[in-house]
C-alpha cells in the first residue's frame, strides 16, 4: 500500500483477514515463552506469516478515551516472535487459521492483576450510579494527586545479615544453619508468621560428563522473590512469586566434587518458600539431578510489623479504577473492525464475586455498543480449578465467580470456555494454554463462522425434578451423551434439603442426557451443586466430545431489584418484638438453620436484651436486623385495655421531646452492638402520636422505616415505608399462618408477621410447631416469596417509588 501526499509512505506485508480483540488479566497476557518447556514442538513449528499479534502497551487514563496507541507493532508467528504472543491467543489463532486458511490478527490488550471494572467504558456504566461517582471523582486531578501526598509508612531499618556476611560466597563457612525440606513453606516448618529474608544452601556433586556444559536449573516457583547463586556466582533472580524459576548455569561454573547452591528468598506477606509440585532439578542432555530434599536455612532479616494507623501510601492504583484501561487500551482499537472478543479475567474479582453478574453483562453489552454490532461473538474463559483441595462441600468465591461468568450465556452469541479440568492447585497461571485455545476456537467456529452443528460446550443443566428421594437432572449440550471420563462414578455432586447443608451425593447416568443424584441421609432433597469448589480436581463429568461440564448450583437465585418484591410473587417479613429470650433460643436458631433472616425489635431496657447483648451482636452479624423499639417500650395507658401499662411507661404522659430522645438514644445503643446506623422502628403498641403529634415525621433522617400494627396486607404501590402494616400473631396454627402467606402469594402483596412469644415467655404467643411449620413453608417456596428483613424491604420499597 502506497500513501502519497507531500511525502510517500509505503506499507508492506499487508494481510486481510479477521481480527479478534483479546482482553483480560495475566492469564490472557501469559506468553508462549512461559510455556516453552511444555510446547517446544509448537514453538519450533510456528511458521505462520498470516497469524499476527499486536500487544497493546500497558497504559491507563482516568480522564477519557484515547485515540491511538503511542507505540506498538504487528508481529508474525515465527519461532522467535511467537515467544511474545499470548499463549491462549496463539493456540486459538492457530486453530482458526488451520481450519479456514485465512489471516488471523490478534490484538492482545490485557494487564495482569486487574479487575473487570477497569475494562468497561464510561458509557457502559449508565446504570451504575456508584461507579459513575468514582469516574467523576477520578477526573479531578486535585483528588487523584491527594493520594500521592499521603505519607508512606517507613519500615524500621534492619539490614540483611546474609548480604553483609556474604552467605552466597563459595568461601563462606556456615554456622548455625538448620534443616529445611524443599519444596515447602517455612511457616509449615517451624517459622511462624515470618516476613523477611531467609537464605537456603546445599551442596551437590555433578558427574564428570557435566563439566564444561551449560546446565538448565529449575527451582519451581518461589514466594515471593529470589536470587540464585551457584558457587558464589549469581545465575538469576525473579522479583515476584508467579514466574517459574528457570535459570542457566554457565558452562564454566560447575566443578568436580562439591558445588554450593544458595537461594536468597524474600517474602513480605503470607507463606514464604518453595511451591510444592513443581520441578526442582538441574538437567543436561536428558540427565537430571533432583534438587528436592533437605537443605539448610538461616534467617537474614525479619521484617518488623508496620503500624500505619490506617494511612495508606503509594497513591491511587490507576489500573484498578473504572474505565482506566478501557480508555487507554481498548478505545484506540475502535476504528478497527473486529470479528469478536476473547475475554480471560476474573481472578482479581474473586474476593467479591457478587457484583460480577452485572459487570459481565455490562462489559459484553458495552463492547457490542461501541462496535455498533449487537451480535458480535463474545467468548469468555471461565476460572480454572485452583488452590487447596477441600474434601467437604463448601462455599466458594471461585465457584460463585464461575457462575457469574456462565450467566453471560443468557446474552446472545456468547460462550464460556470451561477450564475446571485444566488448572493447577498451586499456580494461578496454569500452563495448559493449548486446550483453552482449542476450546475457545470451537466456540468461535460455532458463533463466529457459522458451524451451528458443532458442539462447543460441555453439558449444561436444563432442568431439575425430584422423584422418590432423588434429584433427576437433565442436560443440554451432551453431543452423543453424558460420559464419565475415567469410567468411575461422577464426582463432586452434593445434595441438600431446604436447610442447604450439603453432603456428597451418589450419582448414576440413567440416559443420554439424564443423571440421578441422591444421598440416603437426605430424605427430601431440594438442591444440588456440582463442582462448587475452588478446586474440584479430577472432575470426570464430560460429554461425548470430551468437553467438561461447568460447576453449577440450583440453590442460587438472581433478584430483579427494580421489580416489586424483586421479581417474586409476594414478600414476607418476619418481625419479633421485645427482645425476648425465646427469640434467641428458638426463633433465631430456626431461622439460621433455614438461612432465613428476621427483624428483632429491641426495647433497650428489657432483660432479654441487656443480659444477652453478645448473642444479639452475633445474630446481627449473621444478617438479622436489630430494630428500634425504644428504651422503655412506652404505651398510651389512656386507651381502653391498657391498664397493664406502668405509670412510668405511659406514653400519654410523655413529652414530644422525650419520645424523640428515647428513640435516638436507642439507635445509638443498637449501633454500639451491631455497628450499623440504618435500621427500622416499630411503634410500641401501635401508638404513633405524642401530644397529638405524629412523632415519626421528625425521625425520618434517623430511621429507614417504621412498622405499625394493623392486620392488613399491602401492594407495593400502597406502601408507606414509615407505616408498614403487620399481623399480630397469638395462638394461630401453622396452617393458619401459611394460609396468610398463600393469600399474599395469590394477591401479590407484602405480608408482615409480628411475633412476641415463640414457644412461651409472652401472653401473645405462637407454638414452636406452628412457627416451625410456617418457616419451613417459606423456605420451600422461597423461589416465589421474597423473604427479608424490614430494613431491606423498606429500602426496596423506596427503590420502587423512585424508579
Amino acid at each position: 500500500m502506497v500513501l502519497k501526499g507531500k511525502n510517500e509512505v509505503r506499507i508492506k506485508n499487508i494481510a486481510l483477514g479477521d481480527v479478534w480483540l483479546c482482553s483480560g488479566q495475566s492469564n490472557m497476557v501469559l506468553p508462549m515463552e512461559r510455556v516453552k518447556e511444555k510446547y517446544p514442538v509448537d514453538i519450533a513449528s510456528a511458521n505462520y506469516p498470516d497469524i499476527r499479534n499486536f500487544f497493546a502497551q500497558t497504559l491507563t487514563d482516568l480522564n477519557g478515551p484515547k485515540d491511538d496507541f503511542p507505540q506498538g507493532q504487528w508481529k508474525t508467528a515465527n519461532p522467535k516472535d511467537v515467544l511474545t504472543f499470548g499463549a491462549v491467543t496463539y493456540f486459538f489463532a492457530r486453530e482458526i487459521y488451520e481450519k479456514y486458511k485465512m489471516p488471523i490478527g490478534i490484538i492482545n490488550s490485557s494487564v495482569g492483576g486487574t479487575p473487570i471494572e477497569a475494562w468497561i467504558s464510561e458509557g457502559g456504566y449508565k446504570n451504575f450510579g456508584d461507579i459513575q461517582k468514582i469516574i467523576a471523582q477520578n477526573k479531578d486531578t486535585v483528588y487523584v494527586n491527594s493520594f500521592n501526598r499521603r505519607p508512606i509508612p517507613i519500615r524500621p531499618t534492619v539490614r540483611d545479615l546474609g548480604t553483609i556476611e556474604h552467605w552466597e560466597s563459595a568461601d563462606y563457612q556456615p554456622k548455625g544453619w538448620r534443616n529445611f525440606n524443599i519444596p515447602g513453606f517455612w511457616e509449615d516448618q517451624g517459622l511462624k508468621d515470618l516476613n523477611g529474608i531467609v537464605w537456603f544452601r546445599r551442596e551437590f556433586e555433578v558427574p564428570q560428563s557435566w563439566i564444561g556444559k551449560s546446565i538448565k536449573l529449575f527451582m519451581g516457583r518461589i514466594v515471593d522473590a529470589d536470587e540464585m547463586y551457584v558457587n558464589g556466582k549469581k545465575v538469576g533472580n525473579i522479583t515476584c512469586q508467579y514466574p517459574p524459576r528457570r535459570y542457566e548455569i554457565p558452562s564454566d561454573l560447575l566443578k568436580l566434587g562439591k558445588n554450593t547452591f544458595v537461594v536468597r528468598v524474600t517474602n513480605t506477606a503470607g507463606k514464604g518458600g518453595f511451591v510444592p509440585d513443581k520441578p526442582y532439578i538441574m538437567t543436561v542432555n536428558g540427565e537430571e539431578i533432583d534438587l528436592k530434599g533437605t537443605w539448610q536455612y538461616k534467617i537474614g532479616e525479619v521484617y518488623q510489623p508496620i503500624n500505619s494507623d490506617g494511612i495508606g501510601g503509594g497513591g491511587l492504583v490507576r489500573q484498578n479504577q473504572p474505565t482506566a484501561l478501557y480508555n487507554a487500551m481498548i478505545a484506540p482499537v475502535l476504528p478497527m473492525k473486529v470479528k469478536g472478543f476473547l475475554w480471560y479475567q476474573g481472578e482479581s474479582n474473586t474476593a467479591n464475586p457478587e457484583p460480577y453478574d452485572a459487570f459481565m453483562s455490562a462489559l459484553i453489552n458495552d463492547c457490542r455498543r461501541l462496535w455498533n454490532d449487537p451480535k458480535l461473538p463474545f467468548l469468555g474463559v471461565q476460572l480454572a480449578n485452583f488452590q487447596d483441595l477441600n474434601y467437604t462441600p463448601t462455599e466458594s468465591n471461585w465457584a460463585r465467580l464461575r457462575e457469574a461468568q456462565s450467566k453471560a450465556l443468557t446474552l446472545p452469541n456468547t460462550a464460556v470456555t470451561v477450564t475446571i479440568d485444566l488448572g493447577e492447585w498451586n499456580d494461578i497461571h496454569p500452563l495448559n494454554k493449548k486446550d483453552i485455545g482449542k476450546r475457545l476456537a470451537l466456540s468461535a467456529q460455532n458463533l463466529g463462522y457459522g458451524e451451528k452443528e458443532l458442539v462447543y460446550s460441555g453439558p449444561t443443566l436444563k432442568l431439575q425434578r425430584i422423584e422418590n428421594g432423588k434429584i433427576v437432572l437433565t442436560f443440554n449440550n451432551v453431543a452423543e451423551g453424558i460420559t464419565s471420563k475415567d469410567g468411575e462414578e461422577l464426582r463432586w455432586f452434593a445434595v441438600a434439603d431446604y436447610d442447604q447443608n450439603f453432603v456428597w451425593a451418589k450419582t448414576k447416568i440413567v440416559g443420554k442426557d439424564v443423571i440421578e443424584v441422591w444421598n440416603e441421609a437426605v430424605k427430601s432433597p431440594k438442591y444440588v451443586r456440582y463442582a462448587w469448589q475452588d478446586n474440584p480436581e479430577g472432575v470426570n463429568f464430560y460429554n461425548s466430545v470430551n468437553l467438561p461440564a461447568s460447576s453449577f448450583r440450583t440453590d442460587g437465585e438472581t433478584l430483579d431489584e427494580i421489580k416489586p418484591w424483586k421479581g417474586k410473587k409476594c414478600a414476607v417479613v418476619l418481625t419479633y418484638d421485645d427482645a425476648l429470650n425465646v427469640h434467641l433460643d428458638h426463633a433465631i436458631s430456626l431461622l439460621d438453620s433455614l438461612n432465613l433472616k428476621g427483624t428483632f425489635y429491641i426495647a433497650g431496657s428489657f432483660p432479654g436484651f441487656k443480659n444477652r447483648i453478645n448473642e444479639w451482636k452475633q445474630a446481627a452479624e449473621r444478617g438479622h436486623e436489630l430494630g428500634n423499639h425504644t428504651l422503655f417500650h412506652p404505651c398510651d395507658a389512656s386507651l381502653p385495655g391498657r391498664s397493664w401499662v406502668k405509670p412510668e411507661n405511659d406514653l400519654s404522659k410523655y413529652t414530644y421531646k422525650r419520645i424523640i430522645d428515647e428513640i435516638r438514644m436507642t439507635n445509638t445503643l443498637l449501633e454500639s452492638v451491631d455497628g450499623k446506623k440504618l435500621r427500622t422502628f416499630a411503634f410500641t403498641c401501635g401508638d404513633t402520636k405524642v401530644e397529638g403529634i405524629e412523632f415519626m415525621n421528625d425521625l425520618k433522617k434517623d430511621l429507614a422505616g417504621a412498622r405499625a400494627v394493623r392486620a392488613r396486607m399491602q401492594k407495593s404501590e400502597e406502601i408507606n415505608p414509615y407505616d408498614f402494616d403487620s399481623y399480630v400473631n397469638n395462638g394461630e396454627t401453622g396452617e393458619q399462618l401459611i394460609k396468610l402467606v398463600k393469600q399474599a402469594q395469590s394477591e401479590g402483596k407484602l405480608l408482615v408477621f409480628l411475633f412476641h412469644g415463640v414457644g412461651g415467655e409472652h401472653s401473645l404467643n405462637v407454638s414452636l410447631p406452628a412457627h416451625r411449620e410456617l418457616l419451613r413453608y417459606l423456605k420451600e417456596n422461597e423461589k416465589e416469596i421474597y423473604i427479608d428483613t424490614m430494613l431491606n424491604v423498606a429500602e426496596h420499597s423506596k427503590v420502587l417509588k423512585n424508579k
Side-chain angles (χ1 to χ4, degrees):
M1 180 182 291
V2 179
L3 306 175
K4 291 184 177 181
K6 292 182 179 180
N7 63 335
E8 180 177 299
V9 177
R10 189 176 297 269
I11 304 173
K12 300 179 180 180
N13 195 19
I14 296 173
L16 301 177
D18 287 341
V19 174
W20 289 83
L21 177 56
C22 308
S23 191
Q25 56 181 111
S26 53
N27 272 303
M28 187 69 92
V29 174
L30 191 135
M32 289 292 288
E33 194 279 334
R34 280 277 290 275
V35 295
K36 63 184 180 183
E37 285 84 16
K38 186 174 181 66
Y39 302 114
V41 175
D42 296 282
I43 291 170
S45 62
N47 293 298
Y48 297 94
D50 280 339
I51 296 178
R52 308 188 179 193
N53 184 79
F54 182 97
F55 246 123
Q57 179 184 354
T58 298
L59 294 167
T60 62
D61 197 296
L62 298 177
N63 294 309
K66 306 295 285 186
D67 294 328
D68 203 355
F69 295 115
Q71 62 184 38
Q73 66 183 70
W74 287 96
K75 292 187 177 182
T76 61
N78 57 67
K80 176 185 175 183
D81 288 330
V82 79
L83 294 173
T84 66
F85 285 35
V88 166
T89 59
Y90 172 67
F91 287 122
F92 167 81
R94 192 180 71 176
E95 288 292 311
I96 298 298
Y97 178 80
E98 293 281 16
K99 178 77 174 179
Y100 303 110
K101 301 301 181 184
M102 70 169 68
I104 299 295
I106 293 294
I107 298 177
N108 195 324
S109 189
S110 311
V111 181
T114 55
I116 189 174
E117 293 93 316
W119 295 101
I120 301 171
S121 79
E122 184 171 353
Y125 282 119
K126 63 180 181 180
N127 296 321
F128 297 79
D130 53 339
I131 300 288
Q132 290 176 13
K133 291 178 182 177
I134 295 172
I135 295 169
Q137 210 170 28
N138 286 343
K139 291 180 181 180
D140 182 347
T141 304
V142 175
Y143 167 77
V144 173
N145 289 343
S146 70
F147 285 85
N148 297 322
R149 294 192 293 271
R150 295 180 182 179
I152 300 175
I154 299 175
R155 187 182 296 280
T157 301
V158 179
R159 299 188 64 187
D160 172 20
L161 189 61
T163 300
I164 295 170
E165 297 182 355
H166 292 288
W167 293 350
E168 80 283 3
S169 171
D171 299 326
Y172 169 74
Q173 297 298 313
K175 294 180 181 179
W177 292 63
R178 298 183 177 182
N179 289 343
F180 186 93
N181 289 316
I182 290 179
F185 299 104
W186 59 63
E187 277 83 355
D188 299 329
Q189 298 191 40
L191 297 178
K192 183 178 180 181
D193 300 331
L194 171 68
N195 293 324
I197 298 171
V198 182
W199 292 71
F200 300 84
R201 64 181 285 124
R202 183 175 174 183
E203 292 180 338
F204 291 91
E205 293 190 7
V206 297
Q208 170 73 46
S209 60
W210 285 33
I211 304 303
K213 295 179 180 178
S214 179
I215 309 299
K216 289 185 177 180
L217 173 63
F218 296 86
M219 284 300 292
R221 277 184 50 230
I222 299 175
V223 183
D224 288 316
D226 72 288
E227 296 174 12
M228 185 77 204
Y229 299 88
V230 175
N231 293 333
K233 302 293 184 181
K234 186 174 179 178
V235 297
N237 74 285
I238 301 254
T239 58
C240 71
Q241 64 170 294
Y242 296 113
R245 272 49 178 185
R246 304 175 301 188
Y247 302 129
E248 188 166 304
I249 303 174
S251 58
D252 61 350
L253 193 51
L254 291 182
K255 60 185 180 181
L256 275 177
K258 293 181 178 179
N259 294 267
T260 303
F261 288 62
V262 175
V263 192
R264 179 182 184 266
V265 180
T266 303
N267 178 250
T268 56
K271 287 186 173 184
F274 302 82
V275 176
D277 289 348
K278 293 292 181 181
Y280 293 85
I281 59 171
M282 53 180 166
T283 179
V284 65
N285 295 337
E287 298 179 6
E288 292 183 0
I289 292 179
D290 190 352
L291 303 180
K292 297 191 295 293
T294 303
W295 290 52
Q296 282 73 47
Y297 79 89
K298 192 170 184 178
I299 298 169
E301 179 178 349
V302 177
Y303 292 158
Q304 299 302 314
I306 295 174
N307 183 7
S308 65
D309 295 325
I311 300 173
L316 197 72
V317 183
R318 293 174 183 245
Q319 69 179 30
N320 293 345
Q321 297 301 306
T323 76
L325 295 175
Y326 164 80
N327 287 338
M329 298 182 65
I330 299 296
V333 186
L334 276 172
M336 177 171 285
K337 181 176 176 62
V338 298
K339 183 68 173 179
F341 310 97
L342 304 187
W343 175 252
Y344 193 168
Q345 189 278 340
E347 296 89 344
S348 291
N349 288 87
T350 53
N352 182 26
E354 296 299 331
Y356 206 89
D357 295 340
F359 288 143
M360 189 76 173
S361 295
L363 174 70
I364 297 169
N365 289 326
D366 192 37
C367 289
R368 291 171 169 175
R369 176 185 64 84
L370 291 164
W371 268 268
N372 196 30
D373 187 342
K375 295 183 179 180
L376 273 177
F378 190 100
L379 316 179
V381 180
Q382 202 180 67
L383 292 183
N385 50 308
F386 174 57
Q387 302 186 106
D388 294 340
L389 271 68
N390 190 330
Y391 285 101
T392 57
T394 184
E395 295 302 325
S396 165
N397 278 9
W398 282 68
R400 176 63 186 90
L401 197 129
R402 291 185 196 113
E403 179 183 62
Q405 293 170 320
S406 292
K407 286 181 178 179
L409 294 173
T410 59
L411 295 172
N413 264 32
T414 60
V416 173
T417 292
V418 175
T419 64
I420 56 173
D421 58 336
L422 302 180
E424 301 173 29
W425 76 268
N426 56 5
D427 202 332
I428 202 170
H429 303 122
L431 298 181
N432 188 348
K433 294 296 190 276
K434 182 188 286 189
D435 284 332
I436 297 176
K438 286 183 174 182
R439 290 176 185 178
L440 278 168
L442 288 176
S443 299
Q445 288 172 238
N446 184 290
L447 300 179
Y449 295 101
E451 296 193 38
K452 296 304 181 184
E453 300 304 313
L454 182 71
V455 177
Y456 62 89
S457 167
T460 52
L461 182 64
K462 179 180 180 181
L463 61 89
Q464 164 187 310
R465 67 182 190 274
I466 299 171
E467 294 179 357
N468 303 319
K470 295 181 179 179
I471 297 179
V472 182
L473 305 172
T474 304
F475 293 86
N476 290 322
N477 300 309
V478 300
E480 296 303 313
I482 294 169
T483 66
S484 168
K485 187 172 184 178
D486 55 12
E488 298 182 4
E489 185 176 353
L490 299 181
R491 292 185 285 271
W492 295 107
F493 278 92
V495 295
D497 62 13
Y498 51 82
D499 63 5
Q500 291 183 289
N501 291 324
F502 283 89
V503 296
W504 294 126
K506 297 178 180 179
T507 63
K508 185 178 181 181
I509 301 171
V510 295
K512 172 183 176 180
D513 58 353
V514 180
I515 295 173
E516 288 181 345
V517 185
W518 75 96
N519 183 306
E520 288 86 351
V522 182
K523 302 301 182 185
S524 302
K526 184 78 173 175
Y527 305 112
V528 62
R529 289 180 173 183
Y530 169 67
W532 197 261
Q533 311 280 123
D534 293 346
N535 182 12
E537 187 175 272
V539 293
N540 60 351
F541 177 21
Y542 286 70
N543 61 18
S544 61
V545 294
N546 202 35
L547 293 174
S550 171
S551 54
F552 66 83
R553 60 175 175 167
T554 63
D555 57 306
E557 63 178 353
T558 301
L559 301 178
D560 190 334
E561 300 292 334
I562 62 173
K563 288 184 178 179
W565 321 137
K566 300 192 176 184
K568 299 190 177 185
K569 287 185 176 181
C570 70
V572 172
V573 180
L574 302 163
T575 69
Y576 304 78
D577 282 14
D578 299 349
L580 304 178
N581 290 296
V582 292
H583 296 161
L584 287 167
D585 297 334
H586 302 322
I588 288 178
S589 60
L590 180 57
L591 287 165
D592 287 344
S593 72
L594 299 176
N595 196 29
L596 298 175
K597 309 304 176 190
T599 293
F600 294 83
Y601 285 110
I602 306 295
S605 66
F606 280 22
F609 173 70
K610 292 193 301 181
N611 297 337
R612 304 178 72 174
I613 286 179
N614 283 338
E615 292 172 81
W616 287 108
K617 179 179 181 180
Q618 292 166 4
E621 289 172 348
R622 295 194 297 273
H624 302 291
E625 179 192 359
L626 303 188
N628 187 322
H629 211 30
T630 77
L631 287 177
F632 304 110
H633 196 286
C635 292
D636 188 342
S638 67
L639 296 176
R642 299 283 182 85
S643 59
W644 52 270
V645 177
K646 296 180 180 179
E648 63 270 24
N649 295 336
D650 185 354
L651 190 62
S652 67
K653 307 298 184 185
Y654 268 45
T655 63
Y656 188 81
K657 181 179 184 302
R658 180 179 174 185
I659 189 62
I660 296 292
D661 287 346
E662 279 193 18
I663 293 170
R664 287 175 174 161
M665 288 169 64
T666 307
N667 263 2
T668 301
L669 171 64
L670 294 177
E671 184 181 351
S672 71
V673 176
D674 63 16
K676 299 175 182 176
K677 292 185 177 296
L678 203 61
R679 66 190 78 250
T680 58
F681 176 76
F683 293 104
T684 48
C685 299
D687 299 332
T688 62
K689 296 181 180 180
V690 170
E691 297 181 334
I693 304 171
E694 298 277 356
F695 56 81
M696 187 51 58
N697 290 329
D698 285 330
L699 290 166
K700 290 183 178 179
K701 292 183 178 179
D702 303 272
L703 296 160
R707 191 215 64 202
V709 183
R710 284 183 302 272
R712 189 175 65 184
M713 300 182 199
Q714 295 169 289
K715 287 187 173 292
S716 61
E717 62 270 19
E718 299 171 340
I719 288 176
N720 173 359
Y722 289 93
D723 195 21
F724 284 105
D725 294 334
S726 66
Y727 281 77
V728 179
N729 297 292
N730 184 27
E732 287 86 355
T733 64
E735 183 179 355
Q736 290 171 317
L737 296 173
I738 291 170
K739 184 178 179 180
L740 288 172
V741 179
K742 290 180 177 179
Q743 180 185 340
Q745 288 175 274
S746 65
E747 297 177 1
K749 293 182 176 180
L750 167 68
L751 166 62
V752 180
F753 284 109
L754 196 175
F755 296 103
H756 292 83
V758 180
E761 202 181 346
H762 199 282
S763 59
L764 300 175
N765 181 64
V766 294
S767 68
L768 291 179
H771 182 253
R772 186 180 301 112
E773 193 174 342
L774 168 67
L775 266 58
R776 286 179 182 270
Y777 179 83
L778 292 174
K779 186 65 181 180
E780 290 168 358
N781 293 272
E782 64 180 342
K783 286 188 179 293
E784 294 186 357
I785 305 170
Y786 170 46
I787 309 159
D788 213 334
T789 62
M790 198 80 260
L791 171 63
N792 289 339
V793 170
E795 294 297 282
H796 175 56
S797 70
K798 294 174 186 177
V799 170
L800 297 179
K801 286 185 179 296
N802 294 328
K803 70 176 181 179

